[in-house]
Amino acid sequence: MRSQILVVDDDVASCELISELLRSAGFEASPLTSSAEAAGRLSKEKFHAVFLDMRMPPPDGLELAQHVRDSRINASTVIVMITGEQDNTLMKRAFEIGVQFFLFKPVERNKLLKLIRVAEHSIERERRRFTRVALQRPVSLQANDKQLEGATVDISFDGMLVQSYLVFPAGTRVQVTLDLQNGSTPLQLEARVLRTLGEDRMALQFKSSNATERSRLQEFLLPLILSAT
């Protein structure tokens, strides 16, 4: 799966140019000239990076960047701000929101390719975080005084899809006991139910947990993710 990038710029020519250059560099780029439409997509779709024009009809680039950081699925997405200004105050605000990179207009091929080389590691890391590996392993979920037994459908660095005979409601915080390998000590993680799918499946997002446990999960998944992609 190629990295998914959303390009938002109300200047049609600029939006298409950036998108074409990103595609030529091996990314999957989706151009949008409406920031309002972009806000809607960012609430529902996962992107590994977003390119946002600073000056657009509401929401402008800064407002859209804040929307990205506040979103559930794109909070850690790489943000590149497109601007023709060297305004230190605006740049400071952008960095405070969570913008990582700036692309200055006029956009030129060499300038964009240099930026891609700098940002590529961050984008790749974000892609790997959300790459799901089909894997069925026993899992136990506990919330309050109730415990459910089930099996994973797929797992990523960031979360997993679990099938069980019942589901916890969306928003429930759960303690996860995940048996990754026969004979090894099960992982102990914290998670939150993002959504339910029917009556027997739950999408879970891992929360801040013991760093050692998260490291064990990543060490186990990384070879599978690299093989799958």
Side-chain angles (χ1 to χ4, degrees):
M1 183 183 72
R2 295 196 294 177
S3 295
Q4 304 293 313
I5 300 181
L6 182 66
V7 181
V8 189
D9 191 335
D10 61 337
D11 183 317
V12 176
S14 176
C15 192
E16 289 295 337
L17 172 63
I18 294 170
S19 299
E20 283 301 319
L21 290 175
L22 288 169
R23 292 186 192 111
S24 71
F27 298 102
E28 188 69 40
S30 301
L32 274 182
T33 55
S34 166
S35 58
E37 184 179 348
R41 290 189 62 178
L42 286 162
S43 297
K44 298 179 292 185
E45 300 176 46
K46 173 62 188 173
F47 294 95
H48 305 111
V50 292
F51 282 63
L52 309 174
D53 186 38
M54 177 85 78
R55 298 293 187 187
M56 292 186 290
D60 64 16
L62 291 176
E63 292 171 319
L64 205 52
Q66 187 65 65
H67 178 78
V68 172
R69 287 291 171 254
D70 291 341
S71 70
R72 188 172 62 187
I73 59 175
N74 288 297
S76 58
T77 291
V78 176
I79 302 178
V80 179
M81 190 66 73
I82 309 164
T83 180
E85 305 173 46
Q86 293 277 357
D87 186 320
N88 289 338
T89 300
L90 286 177
M91 292 179 69
K92 183 174 182 293
R93 283 182 59 200
F95 279 128
E96 288 172 348
I97 290 170
V99 172
Q100 290 120 303
F101 303 98
F102 282 85
L103 176 62
F104 292 98
K105 293 183 176 182
V107 176
E108 300 169 353
R109 179 182 178 81
N110 288 341
K111 189 187 299 183
L112 179 55
L113 291 178
K114 286 180 181 178
L115 173 65
I116 289 172
R117 283 195 292 270
V118 173
E120 191 170 23
H121 177 71
S122 298
I123 296 172
E124 175 65 11
R125 183 175 58 207
E126 183 70 2
R127 182 183 69 83
R128 286 180 181 174
R129 277 189 64 214
F130 285 85
T131 298
R132 292 188 172 273
V133 177
L135 189 66
Q136 291 187 327
R137 297 301 304 167
V139 63
S140 175
L141 307 176
Q142 184 165 350
N144 301 320
D145 58 348
K146 181 179 290 187
Q147 183 168 319
L148 297 180
E149 304 296 330
T152 62
V153 177
D154 56 45
I155 309 176
S156 73
F157 289 160
D158 198 61
M160 61 184 179
L161 181 62
V162 173
Q163 185 166 23
S164 183
Y165 51 92
L166 292 173
V167 295
F168 288 121
T172 303
R173 291 184 175 273
V174 298
Q175 295 292 323
V176 178
T177 301
L178 176 59
D179 188 4
L180 277 183
Q181 292 176 297
N182 294 335
S184 67
T185 303
L187 288 178
Q188 303 293 331
L189 300 166
E190 296 178 10
R192 179 172 66 90
V193 179
L194 284 180
R195 60 185 178 278
T196 59
L197 293 83
E199 297 180 352
D200 64 349
R201 291 192 177 195
M202 296 172 280
L204 275 67
Q205 181 181 45
F206 298 133
K207 307 301 290 182
S208 297
S209 301
N210 184 291
T212 301
E213 297 293 82
R214 292 298 291 268
S215 178
R216 286 180 59 203
L217 176 65
Q218 292 184 24
E219 287 177 6
F220 175 81
L221 287 179
L222 186 56
L224 300 177
I225 289 173
L226 292 176
S227 175
T229 59

